[in-house]
Amino acid sequence: FCLSMEASIKKIVDKLFASSSDPSTITLRQVKDHIASELELEQEDVRKHADYIKQLSLDHVEKSQSKPSAASSSITSSSSSSTSSIMPAVAKTKTASSATVSSNSKQQKQKRPRGDDDGDEESSSSSSSSGRKTQKDDDGNTYFTLDDKETTRVTISSFKGVEYVNIRKYYADKASGAMKPTTKGIALNANEWASLKRLIGDIDEARSE
C-alpha cells in the first residue's frame, strides 16, 4: 500500500511541476495541498509522506535550475540561483551568506516579542516594533500581513539551512476557510533581500517623480 501511495504521489508531483512554466515558484505547501486534493487525503495522511514529497519537489527544482527560464532569471542575483518560497529552491550560497542570514535571524528574534507558545496562528501572534502583528503558520514560520484581509503575506522561512523572505499572495479556501498560498509571489534569499532594502529609497523617489 505504501509503495502504491508513493507511486501515486510521484505521478501527481511530476504532473504538477511539468505543468508549471517556472517550477521554482511552487512551494512545498502548494505541493502538499495539491496531493491532498487529488488523492482526497487529510493533511495528516499527507504529512506521513512529507520527506518523500520534499525530496521529489527538490529534485524538480534542481532540474529546473539547471535549465533557467526567462521567468526565473528575472529574479536571480549574480551570486545565487533563482529561488522561491513554498518551497524555496535550493540556493548554492556562500558560507558568508549563510552566516549573514543566521546573524540577521538572531537579531530579529532578540527584537521581536515571542508568543507564549508555538501553537496555531492565533495563539502565537504578537506585536512587532512596527506595530504589525506577527503570527505563526502551520509550519511554525513567522509571517506578517500587509493588508487587513491577510491576502498578502511576508513569511520568514528556511529550506536546507538557507533562510528566505517570502512575499506571496494568499486566498481563502472556500471549503475550509483557511488561507492558502497562490503561485503569485517571490522568495528572496539573504543577498536579494539586502539588495531590495538598499533600493527602497530609490524606489520611493522613483514613485514620487
Side-chain angles (χ1 to χ4, degrees), residues 85-102:
S85 100
I86 170 172
M87 196 214 78
V90 175
K92 295 182 179 179
T93 56
K94 296 181 179 180
T95 303
S97 298
S98 298
T100 300
V101 172
S102 177

Side-chain angles (χ1 to χ4, degrees), residues 41-59:
L41 297 174
E42 296 293 335
Q43 285 295 337
E44 183 178 348
D45 295 323
V46 175
R47 281 194 288 270
K48 295 177 181 178
H49 303 277
D51 291 340
Y52 181 63
I53 294 170
K54 180 182 288 187
Q55 187 58 53
L56 287 176
S57 301
L58 178 60
D59 290 343

Side-chain angles (χ1 to χ4, degrees), residues 72-176:
S72 62
S73 61
S74 66
I75 61 171
T76 305
S77 66
S78 60
S79 62
S80 64
S81 302
S82 173
T83 57
S84 171
S85 100
I86 170 172
M87 196 214 78
V90 175
K92 295 182 179 179
T93 56
K94 296 181 179 180
T95 303
S97 298
S98 298
T100 300
V101 172
S102 177
S103 176
N104 290 341
S105 177
K106 290 180 180 178
Q107 292 177 3
Q108 290 172 352
K109 290 180 179 179
Q110 291 174 352
K111 295 180 180 179
R112 185 171 62 245
R114 295 293 301 275
D116 293 334
D117 54 61
D118 290 331
D120 57 31
E121 294 178 358
E122 294 183 359
S123 64
S124 61
S125 63
S126 60
S127 296
S128 67
S129 58
S130 65
R132 284 283 184 181
K133 184 169 66 175
T134 62
Q135 302 183 75
K136 297 282 188 179
D137 61 19
D138 292 340
D139 293 325
N141 298 318
T142 297
Y143 73 88
F144 303 82
T145 57
L146 301 186
D147 55 9
D148 294 336
K149 294 183 179 180
E150 299 191 1
T151 56
T152 306
R153 290 186 181 182
V154 179
T155 305
I156 302 172
S157 59
S158 62
F159 188 71
K160 290 288 185 177
V162 180
E163 190 172 68
Y164 298 88
V165 176
N166 184 15
I167 306 172
R168 189 160 299 277
K169 282 289 186 180
Y170 279 69
Y171 72 97
D173 182 67
K174 293 182 179 180
S176 64

Side-chain angles (χ1 to χ4, degrees), residues 20 22-27 30 75 84-87 168 182-183 185:
S20 174
D22 186 5
S24 66
T25 63
I26 300 176
T27 66
Q30 286 174 313
I75 61 171
S84 171
S85 100
I86 170 172
M87 196 214 78
R168 189 160 299 277
T182 70
T183 57

